[in-house]
Amino acid sequence: MPAFFQYPAVNAKLKALSSNMLKEKDFQNLIELNSVQEAFNYLYNNTYYQEHLEKFSGQEIHRRQLELNLKKSLVLSEDIIKKFSSSDLKTFIKHYFKKFEIEDLKIILRTILMESEENYLTDNLIYIDRNKKINFNNLIQASSYNEIKKVLKNLHYAEILDEFSDQYQKNKNLFPIEMTLDFYYFSELNRLAESFSSKDKKYFDEIIGTHIDLLNLQWIYRIKRYYNLSSGEILNYIIPYHFKINRKELQSMSQENKSENLVKHIAYQPYQQLLEKAIKDENVIFERFFLNYIFKKLHQIKTESFFTISNILAYLYIREYESRDIITVLEGIRYSLPKDRIKNFLIRKEV
């Protein structure tokens, strides 16, 4: 299906859906509430989330139930977009949503292998049960690394688990496995984008490319601060795709001894300023600086063309960030945090 036909159709649908998304006033109202039940009532009575929360109407809802259903509402966008897409775009969108499957898999690994809270799986998995190639019941009932690998034997995930099997048995460290799963996800996403038109590739770079750049920066910073890995190991883990950061800069950062000195190895000034602020401000979650940067870029991009993938990617990211911000508010209410402090944790809040 040519872009002239497919993009206006799906973008018109997403424009309508976007008009229903929460406004700043909604977040201000949510932050003023005193309980998760009040937050549920507000979302049910005043927002489009009503259709996703209908089964809890008239009931007392638990925070985890609310968060799970907010997250699950995200993945329904896949079906909407694929309905209006050509086969090539469907393939890309299908892999785009694999990010949620991979996050589910990370939760399964942590829960089963690190003996986390018993109900954690059922309260947090949002996507992996959609994959018909995975026996979901066998997966969540697995009790060991090898059992998980066996359930996933027909998927690329099993190859990754097999690669790190001996290393995991020695140190019980899931970090390199999780990094490699992300490495696989973005590498495949970039491969699929290679067939895009020049305009679509431009917006892929602007959105996904920026995301990858900032993930690589964040990962290198964390590795330098919390893990003792060699330069070679760091370069093996980072995503092999660059937008505003080149390989030479990444190599230079990997050889830097102090995490706070990473800034001087970055030539692109917006990233340089962003990392500098994130390192200095200990009162705000480090990751939020990067997410807020992407959030602002998305709002600049989303209406630039009705005949490209820009609006689709912008919608998916903004929709995800909205859900994450609502869950942040719920957490703040749960722990009775000061209202100004809750605001400072939101992705949409200027940094």
Side-chain angles (χ1 to χ4, degrees), residues 233-288:
E233 287 174 311
I234 292 171
L235 292 175
N236 283 337
Y237 285 136
I238 62 176
I239 302 163
Y241 171 81
H242 323 116
F243 179 44
K244 294 296 186 180
I245 298 179
N246 60 44
R247 180 76 179 179
K248 186 175 180 181
E249 288 173 296
L250 291 171
Q251 186 171 12
S252 179
M253 283 187 277
S254 73
Q255 295 168 347
E256 173 60 56
N257 291 323
K258 296 181 179 180
S259 58
E260 61 269 24
N261 289 340
L262 292 176
V263 175
K264 67 182 183 181
H265 300 282
I266 304 171
Y268 186 55
Q269 194 171 24
Y271 288 175
Q272 189 181 73
Q273 294 171 346
L274 190 64
L275 182 59
E276 197 167 32
K277 284 198 296 184
I279 292 172
K280 285 182 179 179
D281 196 329
E282 297 179 356
N283 297 315
V284 178
I285 298 173
F286 186 88
E287 181 189 27
R288 194 178 75 78

Side-chain angles (χ1 to χ4, degrees), residues 74-85 90 93 97 127 130:
L74 277 172
V75 302
L76 299 178
S77 301
E78 178 182 7
D79 301 325
I80 295 171
I81 295 170
K82 284 163 64 175
K83 181 180 178 180
F84 295 95
S85 302
K90 279 181 182 176
I93 293 300
F97 278 87
Y127 189 91
R130 291 166 62 104

Side-chain angles (χ1 to χ4, degrees), residues 152-189:
L152 301 172
K153 64 181 178 181
N154 296 321
L155 300 171
H156 183 69
Y157 304 141
E159 296 176 23
I160 294 173
L161 292 176
D162 192 54
E163 178 186 350
F164 289 95
S165 184
D166 291 341
Q167 184 177 328
Y168 175 77
Q169 298 305 330
K170 290 178 183 177
N171 58 28
K172 306 299 180 187
N173 183 10
L174 291 174
F175 175 75
I177 298 171
E178 293 181 348
M179 294 285 284
T180 305
L181 286 169
D182 289 330
F183 179 105
Y184 155 72
Y185 169 76
F186 282 108
S187 296
E188 182 65 9
L189 202 65

